[in-house]
Amino acid sequence: MSRHVAIVTDSTAYLPQRTMERHGITAVPLTVVLGDQALDEGTEISTRSLAQALQKRRPVTTSRPSPQVFAEHYRKVAESGATGIVSLHLSAELSGTYDAAVLAAREAPVPVRVVDTGMVAMALGFCALAAAEAAETGGTVDDAVTAAEKRAGATAAYFYVDTLDYLRRGGRIGAAQALLGSALAVKPLLQLEGGRIGPLEKVRTASKAIARLEEIAADRAGSAQVDIAVHHLAAPDRASALADRLRTRVPGLADLHVSEVGAVIGAHTGPGLLGVVVSPR
């Protein structure tokens, strides 16, 4: 393999496997702890198993990869011919993954730039793709980092959840604590802001909340050329219908990805999640 700048991310980017292979992106798995079992996201636990566990109120927690796991991935990437690595990860406000990567980078055999994107799910995935595209055209580590940070700065992520209970239990709700008092009476819309999950709007019914989610995403996209991702957990019909409507409403749509989130994000949002990521090119 030729000498190159390699891109590493984590399993919460939810990039399609084919896309990662095409661009040479490596994803380090986070861990889902289901009862007394610690399972790697993406390979050892299915989203269906997670949804069933959550619905049965079984204890589910998540944890970051260890620095040793990152170190092993960095070593393998370096052995493949990389002269530098850009390691892009979900918001440090939501996980210790970034900190673990920083620790591992100090001992890596090639220079590693670790970036807290402040993003998650395909909002992170689009950053990794931007970095990979910069590297593929001969860009340096700095070029790839700049491309990722520029993409992150322009990207927005919005979420609908059936209940805030899972976010509350996982301690990931941040400023949205203000919604808890009326959580039973509303269907909350949330956004990723400053790397944290915060309140956006309160809507009275699920159908109105999803319609509002669509409207917000379409308004954010405007007429610019954008990539969009629609995420869900155990709600494929809702996600497919929302994606179809966005196809007709967003004139500058370039790529549209529809996918179920993995177990790490699903553990904190619960079944019924719908998310829309809008990422201008």
Side-chain angles (χ1 to χ4, degrees), residues 129-250:
L129 283 174
E133 288 165 357
E136 287 165 1
T137 58
T140 63
V141 165
D142 286 345
D143 293 332
V145 170
T146 297
E149 290 179 337
K150 182 177 179 181
R151 195 75 185 256
T155 296
Y158 308 104
F159 308 94
Y160 160 82
V161 290
D162 275 335
T163 173
L164 288 169
D165 187 45
Y166 298 103
L167 283 163
R168 176 187 60 78
R169 280 191 272 164
R172 299 307 199 279
I173 201 167
Q177 289 282 359
L179 291 175
L180 284 175
S182 57
L184 295 178
V186 301
K187 293 298 183 181
L189 293 178
L190 309 171
Q191 64 181 335
L192 194 60
E193 187 173 36
R196 298 187 179 192
I197 297 170
L200 182 60
E201 293 184 7
K202 294 180 284 187
V203 186
R204 286 292 177 184
T205 68
S207 60
K208 289 181 179 178
I210 294 169
R212 182 64 182 136
L213 178 65
E214 173 191 337
E215 184 177 357
I216 291 168
D219 287 347
R220 177 61 185 248
S223 58
Q225 187 180 36
V226 298
D227 295 325
I228 290 178
V230 176
H231 289 303
H232 72 93
L233 180 63
D237 293 341
R238 276 181 175 177
S240 179
L242 176 58
D244 287 343
R245 294 193 299 271
L246 287 171
R247 283 190 184 94
T248 65
R249 292 194 61 168
V250 178

Side-chain angles (χ1 to χ4, degrees), residues 1-268:
M1 184 177 291
S2 62
R3 311 292 281 175
H4 63 286
V5 173
I7 308 302
V8 173
T9 186
D10 59 68
S11 59
T12 69
Y14 301 139
L15 285 164
Q17 184 63 35
R18 189 174 301 176
T19 299
M20 288 197 298
E21 291 171 357
R22 184 167 66 249
H23 293 281
I25 298 170
T26 298
V28 179
L30 274 71
T31 300
V32 179
V33 182
L34 187 61
D36 59 357
Q37 287 185 297
L39 306 167
D40 283 348
E41 180 177 40
T43 58
E44 296 182 333
I45 180 171
S46 69
T47 50
R48 182 176 180 181
S49 297
L50 171 78
Q52 290 173 343
L54 292 173
Q55 288 163 345
K56 294 176 181 178
R57 301 189 71 82
R58 291 180 61 190
V60 180
T61 58
T62 61
S63 66
R64 71 178 192 178
S66 69
Q68 291 76 21
V69 169
F70 271 110
E72 180 64 13
H73 280 82
Y74 293 155
R75 182 187 64 79
K76 289 180 179 178
V77 169
E79 288 177 352
S80 77
T83 55
I85 299 170
V86 177
S87 199
L88 303 157
H89 300 291
L90 80 159
S91 172
E93 296 285 349
L94 302 176
S95 168
T97 300
Y98 167 81
D99 294 329
V102 169
L103 289 173
R106 295 172 183 169
E107 307 298 329
V110 296
V112 180
R113 286 277 297 278
V114 184
V115 179
D116 171 13
T117 65
M119 301 280 109
V120 74
M122 273 298 293
L124 168 59
F126 288 133
C127 294
L129 283 174
E133 288 165 357
E136 287 165 1
T137 58
T140 63
V141 165
D142 286 345
D143 293 332
V145 170
T146 297
E149 290 179 337
K150 182 177 179 181
R151 195 75 185 256
T155 296
Y158 308 104
F159 308 94
Y160 160 82
V161 290
D162 275 335
T163 173
L164 288 169
D165 187 45
Y166 298 103
L167 283 163
R168 176 187 60 78
R169 280 191 272 164
R172 299 307 199 279
I173 201 167
Q177 289 282 359
L179 291 175
L180 284 175
S182 57
L184 295 178
V186 301
K187 293 298 183 181
L189 293 178
L190 309 171
Q191 64 181 335
L192 194 60
E193 187 173 36
R196 298 187 179 192
I197 297 170
L200 182 60
E201 293 184 7
K202 294 180 284 187
V203 186
R204 286 292 177 184
T205 68
S207 60
K208 289 181 179 178
I210 294 169
R212 182 64 182 136
L213 178 65
E214 173 191 337
E215 184 177 357
I216 291 168
D219 287 347
R220 177 61 185 248
S223 58
Q225 187 180 36
V226 298
D227 295 325
I228 290 178
V230 176
H231 289 303
H232 72 93
L233 180 63
D237 293 341
R238 276 181 175 177
S240 179
L242 176 58
D244 287 343
R245 294 193 299 271
L246 287 171
R247 283 190 184 94
T248 65
R249 292 194 61 168
V250 178
L253 182 62
D255 286 333
L256 192 150
H257 302 260
V258 182
S259 66
E260 192 163 31
V261 297
V264 168
I265 301 305
H268 296 292

